[in-house]
Amino acid sequence: MRLKSLQIEPLGDGGWASPLLEFGHRTTMLFAPNGSGKSPLIRALASAMGFPNNFRNDILEKCKEVVLHAESEGKALIIRRTIDAKNQEFYATIDFDGEQTEHHSEGTFSLSLFQTLGLKPPKLISTKGEEAQPYIATLLPVFYLIQGFGYSAAYRAPSSFITDQFVEMVRFAFGLNPKHSYEVKKTLIEEKIALEAQTRKIVAAQRVLEYQSRGVDDSDANQAALQRMTENLTQQLDGLRASVDSKGTANSTLMELLRQKNGQIRSRQMELFELRNRVAGIETIRAEIDGEIKTLGLNEEARRVFTSFQEICRVPNCGLFIGSTESYGKNLLYLKDQIKDLERNSQRAEIRAEQLEERLEELGAERQTLVDNLDSPSTSGVDQLVTAVQALTKQLVGVQGELGRISGLKEERSKLFKLERERDRIQDRIDELTNTGRADHDFNKLRLNLRELTVKWMQTLATENVSTNVDIDLNLRFTFAGETIETIGSGGSSSTTIRLVLAIHAALLEAYLSDKSRPFRFLILDTPKQEELHTADLARYLTELEQMCEANDAQILFSSTEYDHPTGPKDRRWLPSYRGPDKPMFLGKRSDLLAVDEFTRPDS
């Protein structure tokens, strides 16, 4: 974006206007005494680019609008901004390449101008944690030093409503990812909600798995044994169906089933016996722990009694027993955790014991049926065959049911694994979003470059009494051997503060101009306090700025009260052109206009 011309139009016949003020190809110089109206012209330029109007009453009452002619990518850009009588209403038009848009708010104007310049503003986070967008008023102070407060810090905007606004605007200007992206924050909130939901699913799946795994041996060895048992039972059933001697075969089968049943009963009884012993042992351990807790309690009571004796602790909170107090708390917490673990183990054992007792009753009844069929002389071969088939079938169904429970258990375990894997993916995503900016190589590279350039421009301005050990943190805070600009300025060194601010902005501009595609190719310096800068230092600074702008197709606009900087053939000098009460003015009635060729001309 190259600045071409600026003009202020009058409000009515008696209003104040400016002539058509053309910008220099490289340098535009405003040189006039204080009170000539230099700052209103520069504020009008900023106003045309979307900066809040901040004019005095005489400008509001006499001027109608600001017209800025510029150029972007070789296309004409014309901006008209109304000067409102109360500095509150916003109205501007943007005419780019023949297409015009109207804007009634700073927000829509900024978005439109950013789009015109090929910029896509990011969604940022406001200081209130809400979505916020950059405005021209938040970005322009990187390229515009406002008279007065603009020279007191590295970055000063009319308002600061974006979190870490300076670093966010520099990141935006340089095309880097934002430090605090609202989209990232929104995604992070969504991912955290998803993580909580996933955790609830995992807890529920763990409960289901724990319930289904009670009394189920899902080991590969047990599953193989059950498979063999299924095959054996199936073979026995097939043998019974095909046998000619049904009575002998049935009797033999019943005897084998009785033997197996006795083995199952003995196995369950042994397991039940061990469980009861375990529960008894748990109760014994719990009683011992309760005793330890009582002992700890007695020791703590004794400590309190001792601390009440003034002969031992002569001052309140003497600290004599701090170690024992901390030890008491830790031991008590440890013992209570042990009791909780014992209670959980005891509950599991009792549940399993109840299941075994129920199963023993079923096995006893099944065994008695087998015994009755074998011992009864009235039982025929057919009855024994039916009983044997029923017993085998029931046993087969039980084994298949056990295999089904194992299969279901493995399926639940697989579901739990998938849920945990998804939770890990969500957590990784959260970690990735949380770490945004920590490994920002492009921004770190910019910081290193700015540090070197800042030192260079500090030396150009002969900045004394400040260390060149410059450090720039992740928030783009500049420190000089640990001292901030504010700290240096609070010591009464206004001259040093101005030099540092000028050096930082020159460094930012030089780094920015290194990419030819970046649109803002100007630096506006609105009348620094020249009485606090040596003329030679300021002249050297402006000369090097001009050389940098010449090499990078950029412009510099400088307003001066005392230092008349020499300009070149393609530069422009804006001089007061209206007759005033005691001196020429930059704004005035058309009837008071002086000779045109005397106030905006290239230097000869």
Side-chain angles (χ1 to χ4, degrees):
M1 178 181 179
R2 289 194 61 84
L3 306 176
K4 305 299 285 185
S5 69
L6 179 74
Q7 188 169 26
I8 297 177
E9 296 186 352
L11 182 63
D13 294 335
W16 291 350
S18 77
L20 181 65
L21 300 168
E22 295 181 348
F23 290 91
H25 180 77
R26 179 191 63 179
T27 304
T28 302
M29 178 74 184
L30 283 78
F31 180 65
N34 285 329
S36 302
K38 298 186 300 297
S39 288
L41 274 186
I42 295 179
R43 289 177 185 172
L45 170 61
S47 172
M49 289 188 283
F51 222 65
N53 281 341
N54 188 20
F55 297 111
R56 298 180 63 177
N57 289 335
D58 53 356
I59 304 295
L60 298 176
E61 294 169 358
K62 300 289 187 179
C63 300
K64 178 182 178 183
E65 65 179 8
V66 184
V67 183
L68 172 65
H69 286 254
E71 188 179 81
S72 178
E73 296 183 350
K75 300 176 182 178
L77 171 63
I78 304 172
I79 301 174
R80 291 180 176 271
R81 172 79 184 274
T82 299
I83 297 177
D84 175 62
K86 297 181 180 178
N87 274 335
Q88 295 176 351
E89 299 293 331
F90 187 101
Y91 179 75
T93 62
I94 298 177
D95 191 325
F96 180 62
D97 197 24
E99 294 186 8
Q100 188 180 93
T101 55
E102 293 187 3
H103 303 279
H104 297 271
S105 72
E106 185 181 345
T108 61
F109 176 87
S110 297
L111 283 175
S112 180
L113 185 56
F114 286 145
Q115 288 179 342
T116 299
L117 299 177
L119 298 174
K120 184 179 180 181
K123 293 181 179 179
L124 303 173
I125 299 175
S126 73
T127 52
K128 297 181 179 179
E130 301 169 348
E131 180 180 352
Q133 71 170 56
Y135 288 2
I136 290 293
T138 60
L139 179 62
L140 195 59
V142 177
F143 308 96
Y144 167 36
L145 283 176
I146 307 167
Q147 184 183 20
F149 71 84
Y151 291 88
S152 61
Y155 171 86
R156 282 291 177 87
S159 63
S160 182
F161 59 91
I162 297 173
T163 302
D164 294 332
Q165 186 165 297
F166 180 32
V167 68
E168 292 290 20
M169 292 306 98
V170 171
R171 282 176 170 271
F172 174 36
F174 281 79
L176 303 176
N177 290 330
K179 181 183 179 184
H180 305 291
S181 168
Y182 184 78
E183 293 292 342
V184 170
K185 179 185 177 183
K186 182 180 177 182
T187 304
L188 185 60
I189 293 173
E190 292 173 350
E191 293 289 354
K192 286 182 177 180
I193 293 173
L195 180 63
E196 292 178 2
Q198 195 70 10
T199 302
R200 289 194 294 269
K201 290 179 183 179
I202 289 173
V203 171
Q206 287 173 337
R207 289 174 180 170
V208 171
L209 183 64
E210 182 181 0
Y211 176 78
Q212 291 190 357
S213 63
R214 291 174 181 173
V216 177
D217 181 3
D218 63 337
S219 64
D220 293 339
N222 184 52
Q223 192 172 4
L226 291 173
Q227 290 286 0
R228 290 193 298 271
M229 192 179 296
T230 300
E231 294 172 1
N232 186 33
L233 291 171
T234 302
Q235 290 175 0
Q236 291 185 54
L237 283 170
D238 293 341
L240 283 174
R241 295 190 186 99
S243 175
V244 177
D245 182 11
S246 60
K247 182 173 177 62
T249 304
N251 189 67
S252 176
T253 301
L254 289 174
M255 289 295 293
E256 176 61 24
L257 288 172
L258 181 60
R259 186 187 66 77
Q260 293 177 4
K261 202 66 65 178
N262 288 333
Q264 292 174 359
I265 289 173
R266 284 193 299 272
S267 176
R268 298 298 189 278
Q269 286 175 338
M270 183 62 69
E271 186 180 352
L272 181 60
F273 176 75
E274 291 176 354
L275 279 173
R276 285 174 176 165
N277 283 339
R278 189 186 303 170
V279 171
I282 288 173
E283 290 301 321
T284 301
I285 296 172
R286 179 174 178 176
E288 293 175 356
I289 292 175
D290 283 336
E292 292 184 22
I293 290 176
K294 290 179 181 178
T295 302
L296 280 175
L298 290 173
N299 289 339
E300 180 65 11
E301 289 181 9
R303 183 195 66 78
R304 292 171 183 166
V305 171
F306 272 108
T307 55
S308 67
F309 295 155
Q310 292 186 354
E311 292 79 2
I312 298 174
C313 288
R314 298 182 179 275
V315 295
N317 301 320
C318 65
L320 181 61
F321 296 98
I322 287 178
S324 62
T325 301
E326 294 177 351
S327 176
Y328 166 74
K330 292 178 181 178
N331 290 334
L332 184 62
L333 183 62
Y334 171 71
L335 292 173
K336 287 187 176 181
D337 287 340
Q338 280 190 323
I339 287 179
K340 290 179 181 178
D341 292 338
L342 291 172
E343 287 177 348
R344 284 194 292 267
N345 292 333
S346 178
Q347 289 175 354
R348 293 193 189 99
E350 289 174 355
I351 291 172
R352 180 59 181 160
E354 291 177 1
Q355 293 174 345
L356 288 173
E357 288 174 352
E358 293 176 358
R359 182 58 181 152
L360 282 171
E361 290 182 5
E362 294 175 359
L363 290 173
E366 293 171 1
R367 180 185 182 282
Q368 190 59 46
T369 301
L370 294 173
V371 170
D372 292 344
N373 275 276
L374 285 170
D375 293 344
S376 175
S378 60
T379 304
S380 64
V382 174
D383 291 336
Q384 286 187 341
L385 181 63
V386 171
T387 301
V389 170
Q390 288 177 341
L392 287 171
T393 302
K394 184 175 182 181
Q395 192 172 355
L396 179 61
V397 170
V399 172
Q400 290 176 338
E402 190 73 13
L403 286 170
R405 284 193 291 274
I406 291 174
S407 177
L409 186 61
K410 288 188 174 182
E411 185 178 345
E412 288 298 327
R413 188 171 284 117
S414 176
K415 288 180 181 178
L416 179 60
F417 174 75
K418 291 178 180 178
L419 289 172
E420 289 175 340
R421 188 170 60 183
E422 177 63 15
R423 179 186 61 185
D424 292 341
R425 186 201 68 77
I426 296 172
Q427 186 62 59
D428 290 343
R429 177 65 174 151
I430 289 174
D431 293 340
E432 180 184 342
L433 292 170
T434 305
N435 291 332
T436 299
R438 295 185 183 177
D440 194 338
H441 300 297
D442 290 337
F443 182 65
N444 291 336
K445 184 178 178 181
L446 173 63
R447 288 165 56 210
L448 290 173
N449 189 26
L450 286 177
R451 183 166 61 184
E452 295 175 359
L453 293 174
T454 300
V455 172
K456 165 193 163 183
W457 287 100
M458 286 172 61
Q459 293 170 346
T460 300
L461 284 160
T463 308
E464 300 176 351
N465 303 323
V466 178
S467 172
T468 55
N469 181 16
V470 180
D471 184 60
I472 306 172
D473 66 12
L474 293 175
N475 289 322
L476 223 63
R477 283 190 293 260
F478 288 73
T479 56
F480 306 84
E483 290 187 299
T484 64
I485 295 178
E486 290 75 16
T487 302
I488 294 170
S490 64
S493 181
S494 176
S495 171
T496 303
T497 301
I498 293 173
R499 292 169 192 267
L500 292 176
V501 171
L502 288 171
I504 289 171
H505 279 269
L508 282 167
L509 182 66
E510 185 170 355
Y512 181 84
L513 294 177
S514 63
D515 186 338
K516 304 295 184 183
S517 65
R518 291 171 180 155
F520 291 96
R521 312 197 72 78
F522 53 77
L523 180 63
I524 303 170
L525 303 176
D526 184 4
T527 320
K529 295 179 180 179
Q530 291 152 45
E531 69 273 10
E532 300 187 16
L533 292 173
H534 295 302
T535 300
D537 298 336
L538 185 58
R540 187 168 54 253
Y541 174 76
L542 290 175
T543 300
E544 290 200 23
L545 270 181
E546 287 179 326
Q547 292 173 357
M548 183 179 68
C549 289
E550 183 74 29
N552 293 279
D553 191 29
Q555 298 168 285
I556 178 173
L557 186 148
F558 180 69
S559 171
S560 174
T561 301
E562 299 175 2
Y563 172 58
D564 187 4
H565 184 70
T567 48
K570 294 184 179 181
D571 298 331
R572 289 290 184 272
R573 297 169 63 83
W574 292 0
L575 304 176
S577 54
Y578 291 91
R579 188 178 299 104
D582 55 358
K583 56 178 172 279
M585 303 293 292
F586 278 98
L587 296 174
K589 299 178 182 179
R590 295 192 188 279
S591 58
D592 293 331
L593 187 63
L594 301 172
V596 175
D597 59 349
E598 294 297 323
F599 56 79
T600 171
R601 67 176 190 272
D603 190 57
S604 57

